[in-house]
Amino acid sequence: MPIVQNDPTFIRDKEKYFMGVAEEISKGSSHPIVPGGCIIIRDRTIIGDGRSILASCKVEIDCVTYAIATAAAHGTATVGAVVYSTRYPFSASIFQLHLMGIKKIVVKAHEWEPYYKDEFRRAARLARELSIAIEPFFDDDDERFSTNKQAPRFDNREEQ
């Protein structure tokens, strides 16, 4: 989609914006240990959203599966969409994304939950086989990686 001059719907940092929306959705998660939120985006529009659920019968619903279900409930086509998730998807979710025509997942970078490490490895292997890109999203808010404002800059050497 081309950018139009002075477009009011333009989003400067799409990944940070959409990951922020996914993080807000994760606050409504009923998973007590690892809350998750997910949104499906096509053409800068949210077409599906989901949160991870842990039912009282100990059945866990992945946030990606929930988002796919909401997009399907609305009857929205998902081919070419991008998924933003705060949790790494399960292998069943990867296969569902493949069936829905989604080829890119942006996952918030964090430590994997130890209980699910084998499942996440299976999901990564399946994604590789199905040509689905799983890209990490890193928060830039860490002070250790910011620019030192007191150090001399080399672009304005004459002023120094």
Side-chain angles (χ1 to χ4, degrees), residues 77-154:
T78 58
V79 175
V82 178
V83 172
Y84 291 87
S85 178
T86 60
R87 283 188 68 189
Y88 206 85
F90 295 152
S91 56
S93 301
I94 295 290
F95 188 69
Q96 291 171 347
L97 292 173
H98 170 68
L99 293 177
M100 301 299 279
I102 298 173
K103 294 293 179 187
K104 182 179 174 184
I105 307 168
V106 179
V107 179
K108 183 173 181 170
H110 63 285
E111 287 293 318
W112 287 359
E113 298 88 32
Y115 182 75
Y116 296 114
K117 274 196 175 188
D118 290 335
E119 173 61 28
F120 292 156
R121 287 189 183 110
R122 281 192 293 272
R125 190 172 348 150
L126 182 62
R128 202 171 33 251
E129 290 176 8
L130 297 175
S131 300
I132 296 176
I134 300 177
E135 298 178 1
F137 173 79
F138 296 96
D139 285 329
D140 295 336
D141 298 341
D142 195 349
E143 293 290 327
R144 296 175 295 170
F145 302 111
S146 63
T147 305
N148 185 0
K149 294 176 180 43
Q150 297 174 348
R153 295 181 48 191
F154 295 105

Side-chain angles (χ1 to χ4, degrees), residues 24-111:
E24 286 299 316
I25 291 173
S26 72
K27 291 178 182 176
S29 174
S30 64
H31 199 289
I33 301 168
V34 189
C38 174
I39 57 174
I40 302 175
I41 305 296
R42 192 183 69 218
D43 296 334
R44 295 183 287 177
T45 304
I46 299 174
I47 59 173
D49 61 345
R51 54 193 173 89
S52 57
I53 297 172
L54 183 63
S56 59
C57 60
K58 304 298 181 203
V59 173
E60 184 173 357
I61 306 296
D62 188 26
C63 57
V64 178
T65 302
Y66 195 120
I68 291 169
T70 58
H74 296 131
T76 311
T78 58
V79 175
V82 178
V83 172
Y84 291 87
S85 178
T86 60
R87 283 188 68 189
Y88 206 85
F90 295 152
S91 56
S93 301
I94 295 290
F95 188 69
Q96 291 171 347
L97 292 173
H98 170 68
L99 293 177
M100 301 299 279
I102 298 173
K103 294 293 179 187
K104 182 179 174 184
I105 307 168
V106 179
V107 179
K108 183 173 181 170
H110 63 285
E111 287 293 318

